[in-house]
Amino acid sequence: MKIAVIGSTNIDVVSYIDKIPAGGETRPAQNFHTAHGGKGANQAVAAAKLGANVLMVSAVGNDLFGKGALENFRQNKIDTSQISVIEGVATGEATIIVEESGQNRILLYKGANDKLSPELVLQAADDLKKCSLIVLQLEIPLETVYAAINFANENKIPVLLNPAPAVKDLSIDMACKCDFFVPNETELSILTDMPVNSRDEIKSAANSLLSKGLKNIIVTMGSQGALWLSNDREEFISARKVQSVDSTGAGDAFIGCFVENYTKTGDILDSVKLASLYATLSVTKKGTQDSYATAEEFKAFCAAL
Ligand code: RIB
């Protein structure tokens, strides 16, 4: 069984700081690194590290970062045959600031990700038809996301949409065509224009989407846990308390683990529980993909609980 991730590939330029500089101020960073990132790439790598067979559909520039990203996918045993190398545009780049609390702020330059057209996705049709799930986020053009959802529906392939980063005018009709809709609280608030300051408010906002026809909504709630709502189920999974060092990419870790387990077992609740643990483990380590555990490491973590 193969999982297709249609999404972004970035290089992350990350500074760890004690205090955000004010306008016009220069402050020293306590630590710095560059790393492979992009929401699509992160989700693909998390699933692959856990043992999933993953096809990545993405676009990179013909530059050093793009070459490095391709090599990183290969090292993680991800199928790169549908990654396009685009001339004349840089690989996507994310400037990330991580504060002492582990909280992050991201400035995104889409670069080649913006060139991942519906045509490039449809070029991968034969490979996509062999996949048991298609995973999408919003760091690529919206028209490409919609084309991929329609393709998935026409070919009866389940689809998961992670509406990140949030796009206010995301089509609800398109979201209704997805089997899984996985926002975090902030994205849920932007999409629904509703407050999400408590679990009840989060539930109300998610219910407003359910009433519009969405199927399974899984809200990732950071250190609180995750909420899964469908027409006949409501489950809250609380997160384990850990010392957060770097929360960057925790939502991607959640999705990578969820899809790896769900495509194997078909069990949504169990997959949400495992995904919550996997994301929790990732925030205890610095970095994004570097913080994702392998199947063996994750098994050992779960066994020690
Ligand atoms: O979700 C985390 C990711 O968002 C980072 O890896 C960065 O590339 C941005 O796209």
Side-chain angles (χ1 to χ4, degrees):
M1 242 188 275
K2 204 161 182 170
I3 298 167
V5 178
I6 304 176
S8 57
T9 301
N10 295 334
I11 182 80
D12 289 354
V13 178
V14 192
S15 293
Y16 294 84
I17 58 161
D18 55 358
K19 194 166 173 269
I20 308 268
E25 185 190 11
T26 302
R27 287 192 61 79
Q30 281 68 52
N31 223 321
F32 168 83
H33 72 204
T34 56
H36 297 291
K39 294 185 195 304
N42 294 343
Q43 294 170 17
V45 166
K49 279 192 165 186
L50 287 168
N53 193 2
V54 181
L55 168 73
M56 184 75 199
V57 181
S58 193
V60 295
N62 189 4
D63 52 22
L64 278 178
F65 292 148
K67 288 186 180 71
L70 283 169
E71 184 49 33
N72 178 55
F73 284 127
R74 288 188 196 110
Q75 276 176 12
N76 282 289
K77 301 189 176 56
I78 291 170
D79 183 345
T80 58
S81 59
Q82 298 297 342
I83 299 183
S84 303
V85 178
I86 314 278
E87 294 295 336
V89 59
T91 298
E93 187 269 347
T95 302
I96 304 180
I97 291 178
V98 183
E99 293 173 67
E100 268 177 348
S101 62
Q103 181 75 254
N104 65 76
R105 291 158 200 259
I106 302 180
L107 177 67
L108 178 67
Y109 170 67
K110 283 191 176 182
N113 296 306
D114 226 13
K115 305 284 180 202
L116 188 67
S117 61
E119 292 71 33
L120 285 179
V121 169
L122 294 176
Q123 261 178 36
D126 288 347
D127 287 350
L128 290 170
K129 283 180 191 166
K130 293 178 198 141
C131 293
S132 54
L133 183 71
I134 290 179
V135 183
L136 294 156
Q137 326 73 28
L138 301 180
E139 286 185 333
I140 57 172
L142 212 44
E143 57 165 346
T144 305
V145 172
Y146 294 164
I149 293 171
N150 284 332
F151 173 87
N153 280 200
E154 280 154 21
N155 291 283
K156 303 201 172 9
I157 305 166
V159 51
L160 179 152
L161 175 60
N162 167 220
V167 173
K168 207 168 171 31
D169 55 354
L170 179 75
S171 156
I172 291 296
D173 288 347
M174 281 293 165
C176 287
K177 293 183 177 186
C178 299
D179 299 79
F180 298 99
F181 190 73
V182 190
N184 65 19
E185 319 98 300
T186 312
E187 289 145 6
L188 180 66
S189 176
I190 293 171
L191 290 164
T192 57
D193 223 354
M194 290 174 74
V196 291
N197 300 314
S198 64
R199 204 190 299 172
D200 281 346
E201 286 185 352
I202 291 172
K203 227 185 267 178
S204 302
N207 270 318
S208 80
L209 292 178
L210 271 188
S211 68
K212 290 183 178 150
L214 269 80
K215 296 172 192 138
N216 291 289
I217 302 174
I218 301 169
V219 188
T220 55
M221 296 160 57
S223 57
Q224 289 185 67
L227 177 71
W228 166 38
L229 285 182
S230 69
N231 278 324
D232 54 1
R233 286 292 283 269
E234 179 185 314
E235 303 281 354
F236 174 73
I237 289 89
S238 59
R240 297 240 154 202
K241 294 277 162 277
V242 291
Q243 179 67 47
S244 172
V245 171
D246 184 353
S247 64
T248 318
D252 301 329
F254 182 100
I255 289 170
C257 181
F258 175 83
V259 298
E260 191 274 335
N261 194 65
Y262 175 73
T263 51
K264 242 174 25 196
T265 64
D267 186 332
I268 301 176
L269 182 58
D270 188 50
S271 303
V272 174
K273 284 181 182 166
L274 279 178
S276 183
L277 282 174
Y278 190 72
T280 297
L281 178 58
S282 81
V283 306
T284 64
K285 298 182 204 151
K286 272 196 179 153
T288 323
Q289 296 177 17
D290 289 340
S291 71
Y292 298 165
T294 60
E296 292 69 36
E297 288 163 348
F298 187 45
K299 209 171 150 195
F301 172 74
C302 294
L305 292 174

